[in-house]
Amino acid sequence: MEKRYFQKEIETMPVDELKKLQSEKLVKQVKHVYENVEYYRNLMDEKGVKPEDIRGIEDISKLPFLTKADLRDAYPYGLMGKPLKDCVRIQSTSGTTGRRVVAFYTQNDIDLWEECCARAIVAAGGSDEDVVQVSYGYGLFTGGPGLNGGSHKVGSLTIPTSSGNTERQMQFITDLSATILCCTPSYAAYIGESFKEKGYKPEDIPLKAGIFGAEPWTEEMRHSIEESLGIKAYDIYGLTELSGPGVSFECEEQTGMHINEDHFLAEIINPDTGEPLPEGEIGELVFTSLDKEAFPLLRYRTRDLCRLTREKCSCGRTHIKMSKPLGRSDDMMIIRGVNVFPSQIETVLLNEGYTPNYQIIVDRENNTDTFDINVELAPEQFSDTVKDITDREKALVGAMRSMLGIGPKVHLLPPKSIVRSEGKAVRVIDKRKLHD
């Protein structure tokens, strides 16, 4: 199969040339930030570092980190690197944990972001002959605008459905023969479920690929979506703070996401000490935006835990790969002293043949953590005999205990009883935080 790239020269650039390019861009960006972003200049001055101390990417660890707390403190205009008259757009996070993050874009920032998304679409097999249905939310959320722009850059026919109205999603997929679907993995699973209910088989659905991101998902969930829609499912990663989706994306190997290293410099650090970790070790992902003009973040701590590898990839791309985020240093729950990640629970459910529709509820009673998992049954699994349900719940508790080290209470619920999400799925309800 012929290898396809959106910008071949950059995507297959020899690593030493790529690092040289990153060094040149970093030196320039640090100077731009120091001269134009007072908030970050103060952080550099506190640390006693000047722009001339940064001569290349090997000096990156001399720079101070930025965290989400800094973004909130500097809200709304404190981290801007360009005057307002040079900015043409904002995007914003969903603001589920406190004050929203607002990111600014010049026209050049938008062009580069859309090129990153175009690389992801081409890596998933997209071309100007494809019909790309963008079912991420539009508006302040970056998912819709990013993939929409990327699809235009590739020259694909773009269907900007946004999220929701699943009947209409299905109608456009079938009537317009959409070939690539872009949305959250949980919404893709729901669209697959809805097609099945209407009697469609995977071969009746014209889609060939999907580009899914904006929330964590497991390999098991990937296979389940691929089977239900008859597609190949590709991961895409990004953050509003850095631009949006397209910071990294999967190629046909599906063994991690290539980071667009000509635009984003990645590091892995020990989340507790901030010390850089060697390639291949799991730690917190830190990004520096090498080209962003309006909102140029240096050493931004993502809180995502993953590993980086520069192993040769059969797709021919030379850019470093990141694993799927293995969890977040801030979404790890400590329940009765045990570290628990939602992704571990999802893995058990899918391995045991259950749907990825679940909710984790953690609370505290009499100074002890309570840990419940509500799991929705697929229609063919549903049984109204109490003994059958109880036996299955016990078996699932055993499987959870061997994965997590602690046993939750498992509640198997009738089909469609957990509210579906058209955006990011709400998987965890931690009521302890409400009482503290």
Side-chain angles (χ1 to χ4, degrees):
M1 187 180 122
E2 185 209 348
K3 305 254 185 286
R4 301 203 45 249
Y5 314 96
F6 181 66
Q7 292 163 313
K8 185 177 180 182
E9 199 180 317
I10 297 168
E11 293 178 63
T12 61
M13 184 181 274
V15 174
D16 53 345
E17 283 183 38
L18 195 51
K19 288 185 170 179
K20 188 166 168 268
L21 177 67
Q22 287 183 315
S23 287
E24 286 165 9
K25 287 188 172 190
L26 178 65
V27 168
K28 207 169 141 191
Q29 185 71 303
V30 170
K31 190 170 182 292
H32 166 62
V33 170
Y34 191 81
E35 288 171 0
N36 295 288
V37 183
E38 185 188 358
Y39 188 96
Y40 199 79
R41 179 167 64 245
N42 293 340
L43 291 180
M44 282 177 69
D45 289 345
E46 273 169 39
K47 209 175 174 195
V49 61
K50 292 278 181 276
E52 51 271 23
D53 299 331
I54 309 301
R55 297 191 181 92
I57 56 175
E58 64 283 355
D59 295 323
I60 187 80
S61 58
K62 293 177 181 173
L63 291 167
F65 290 114
L66 274 173
T67 65
K68 205 158 219 174
D70 289 309
L71 270 57
R72 293 201 185 107
D73 291 346
Y75 173 92
Y77 292 128
L79 283 164
M80 282 179 71
K82 284 281 185 185
L84 212 54
K85 69 179 178 56
D86 294 343
C87 300
V88 297
R89 195 197 296 172
I90 69 150
Q91 301 284 168
S92 175
T93 56
S94 47
T96 45
T97 51
R99 196 183 271 176
R100 284 176 174 273
V101 170
V102 173
F104 299 84
Y105 300 74
T106 62
Q107 186 56 51
N108 186 54
D109 291 336
I110 288 173
D111 289 340
L112 295 183
W113 172 29
E114 291 178 348
E115 282 176 9
C116 289
C117 290
R119 291 179 194 177
I121 291 168
V122 174
S127 73
D128 56 6
E129 293 180 1
D130 279 286
V131 178
V132 177
Q133 183 152 319
V134 183
S135 306
Y136 284 108
Y138 280 68
L140 290 169
F141 178 57
T142 54
L147 271 304
N148 189 92
S151 177
H152 278 236
K153 288 255 195 268
V154 174
S156 310
L157 177 65
T158 310
I159 312 176
T161 44
S162 193
S163 58
N165 197 335
T166 307
E167 289 285 326
R168 187 176 62 194
Q169 302 278 0
M170 292 156 68
Q171 185 188 347
F172 278 139
I173 288 169
T174 50
D175 291 358
L176 296 173
S177 296
T179 51
I180 299 177
L181 175 66
C182 305
C183 62
T184 59
S186 49
Y187 195 41
Y190 182 50
I191 290 172
E193 205 179 289
S194 305
F195 267 124
K196 189 178 175 186
E197 279 172 14
K198 289 229 178 307
Y200 282 81
K201 295 188 176 64
E203 57 270 24
D204 302 329
I205 302 167
L207 294 169
K208 66 175 187 183
I211 298 174
F212 307 130
E215 63 186 16
W217 52 308
T218 56
E219 281 304 305
E220 292 80 10
M221 188 167 182
R222 185 208 299 271
H223 298 315
S224 139
I225 292 169
E226 288 184 331
E227 279 170 27
S228 72
L229 290 170
I231 61 170
K232 203 165 169 183
Y234 295 86
D235 209 345
I236 189 169
Y237 173 89
L239 307 127
T240 304
E241 297 91 316
L242 293 170
S243 62
V247 170
S248 66
F249 61 87
E250 270 187 325
C251 62
E252 66 259 24
E253 251 200 21
Q254 292 179 302
T255 56
M257 291 171 277
H258 290 284
I259 293 169
N260 282 309
E261 285 192 281
D262 53 323
H263 300 307
F264 305 102
L265 177 60
E267 304 170 76
I268 292 285
I269 62 163
N270 177 319
D272 299 322
T273 65
E275 288 302 306
L277 293 174
E279 187 187 307
E281 287 203 22
I282 294 173
E284 183 182 339
L285 186 57
V286 173
F287 275 117
T288 293
S289 49
L290 296 171
D291 293 302
K292 276 294 284 282
E293 297 174 335
F295 199 64
L297 300 189
L298 304 183
R299 298 199 88 202
Y300 180 66
R301 295 185 60 159
T302 66
R303 300 291 176 198
D304 284 325
L305 300 172
C306 73
R307 61 163 67 89
L308 299 179
T309 173
R310 217 179 265 287
E311 277 173 26
K312 199 168 181 210
C313 186
S314 63
C315 77
R317 289 176 180 82
T318 51
H319 294 214
I320 202 164
K321 269 185 182 174
M322 60 178 274
S323 65
K324 266 182 179 300
L326 306 163
R328 286 176 62 79
S329 59
D330 60 357
D331 87 348
M332 179 181 81
M333 298 172 287
I334 299 176
I335 303 172
R336 296 180 219 141
V338 176
N339 296 352
V340 175
F341 286 102
S343 56
Q344 295 172 301
I345 289 164
E346 187 168 302
T347 296
V348 172
L349 291 177
L350 290 160
N351 281 342
E352 298 292 319
Y354 290 92
T355 72
N357 297 311
Y358 64 95
Q359 258 181 348
I360 302 158
I361 298 156
V362 189
D363 207 342
R364 189 169 283 138
E365 282 173 21
N366 304 322
N367 298 321
T368 305
D369 292 336
T370 61
F371 178 22
D372 292 69
I373 304 174
N374 293 336
V375 182
E376 192 184 281
L377 291 165
E380 63 273 15
Q381 292 173 316
F382 189 60
S383 157
D384 51 8
T385 71
V386 174
K387 183 178 184 321
D388 181 45
I389 295 282
T390 308
D391 289 349
R392 281 161 124 184
E393 286 174 344
K394 275 186 190 154
L396 206 40
V397 169
M400 291 286 179
R401 190 185 296 279
S402 61
M403 166 68 95
L404 306 170
I406 56 170
K409 277 188 184 165
V410 171
H411 312 276
L412 293 177
L413 306 178
K416 293 282 169 91
S417 48
I418 292 176
V419 177
R420 289 297 185 279
S421 163
E422 291 158 358
K424 295 192 187 189
V426 179
R427 298 285 189 216
V428 181
I429 299 168
D430 192 340
K431 295 181 175 172
R432 297 175 300 182
K433 291 176 181 168
L434 305 177
H435 311 324
D436 288 350

